Amino acid sequence: MKNRFRTIKTLAAIMGISALLHAVPAQADSVHIAKNGNTFYTLSKQYNVGMNELMKANPNVAALNIYEGLEITIPSKMQAESVTTTDKSPVITPSLNVNSESKTVEAWGKSFNYDKSIQVKASAYSSASSENGGWGAVDYFGNTLKLGTIAVDPNVIPLGTKVLVTGHSHDGLPKDAFLATATDVGGAIKGNRIDIFIPGSQSFVSSFGYQYVQLYIVK
């Protein structure tokens, strides 16, 4: 009787564990709380998920406007592979298309109308106090520095102007293009110059160096 009873208990335990395993999905989506500097590109690298699959899992998140605190759905690898092999719908890629006749520029699948385009020499700065004149990690208006903040010469680009920045190369910035707002100034930023805020350490940001980028003044 004891052996039989022990066998029944063992079978019951195994069945219970089996039911529990079936009740919990082997692969489930997770949620990432965005931090300054996060982009679909950097998150795809961090979680080893294709960027197109990541963007498909977040249809209401604008690629050019990922801000701190935003909830980003990270698809499971199993689901991402399923989307890759079965979904034949168009995917959004980091492409840049400019139509000078209609004065429109398309980036990340979104179209912008622009007034003019200018080439400027760009540098980058971090939130370190030594790079912000002792005022702290805030822009000219006192807003916290964030991805999309640029310092300009107001005589060339008025403060508050929105621009599409293109032609840059840095791991801390969205690939090909990103939307920025002129909300900061700098003593060395004169003429056709901009300074791009990039979240991260000083050494990481300084690798940007100097680059010539194309700006589109968007409406």
Side-chain angles (χ1 to χ4, degrees):
M1 286 292 292
K2 289 184 178 179
N3 289 338
R4 182 181 177 186
F5 180 66
R6 186 178 295 121
T7 301
I8 292 173
K9 287 180 66 178
T10 301
L11 288 172
I14 292 173
M15 291 176 65
I17 293 172
S18 177
L20 181 62
L21 290 175
H22 282 290
V24 179
Q27 296 284 346
D29 289 349
S30 59
V31 175
H32 172 89
I33 305 302
K35 301 177 181 178
N36 280 333
N38 282 164
T39 66
F40 280 133
Y41 175 75
T42 59
L43 290 175
S44 71
K45 296 296 184 184
Q46 179 178 341
Y47 289 99
N48 194 29
V49 175
M51 187 164 66
N52 288 327
E53 287 68 50
L54 188 58
M55 296 176 75
K56 286 175 182 293
N58 297 275
N60 297 320
V61 176
L64 299 176
N65 190 33
I66 295 178
Y67 52 87
E68 186 173 9
L70 184 66
E71 293 187 355
I72 305 291
T73 298
I74 307 298
S76 69
K77 189 174 182 181
M78 179 184 295
Q79 292 170 327
E81 290 173 351
S82 175
V83 169
T84 302
T85 55
T86 63
D87 190 353
K88 300 301 182 182
S89 61
V91 296
I92 300 174
T93 56
S95 59
L96 181 69
N97 297 296
V98 180
N99 188 324
S100 57
E101 292 184 1
S102 62
K103 284 201 168 182
T104 59
V105 55
E106 182 181 314
W108 293 90
K110 185 175 181 180
S111 184
F112 300 88
N113 295 316
Y114 69 91
D115 287 322
K116 64 177 181 179
S117 176
I118 58 174
Q119 186 182 67
V120 298
K121 185 179 182 180
S123 53
Y125 66 111
S126 71
S127 58
S129 58
S130 60
E131 297 185 55
N132 291 280
W135 295 102
V138 295
D139 64 16
Y140 178 79
F141 299 100
N143 302 309
T144 301
L145 296 174
K146 61 182 179 180
L147 185 67
T149 298
I150 58 172
V152 301
D153 180 346
N155 293 317
V156 177
I157 302 174
L159 288 170
T161 301
K162 290 188 179 296
V163 303
L164 192 68
V165 182
T166 71
H168 56 279
S169 176
H170 193 275
D171 288 341
L173 296 172
K175 187 177 180 181
D176 285 346
F178 69 96
L179 194 62
T181 307
T183 58
D184 209 357
V185 296
I189 309 304
K190 302 296 182 184
N192 282 23
R193 283 273 284 111
I194 67 169
D195 209 10
I196 302 171
F197 172 72
I198 300 178
S201 66
Q202 282 184 284
S203 59
F204 173 69
V205 175
S206 66
S207 64
F208 182 91
Y210 288 99
Q211 300 180 26
Y212 282 93
V213 300
Q214 198 72 22
L215 303 183
Y216 294 88
I217 312 298
V218 300
K219 298 178 181 179

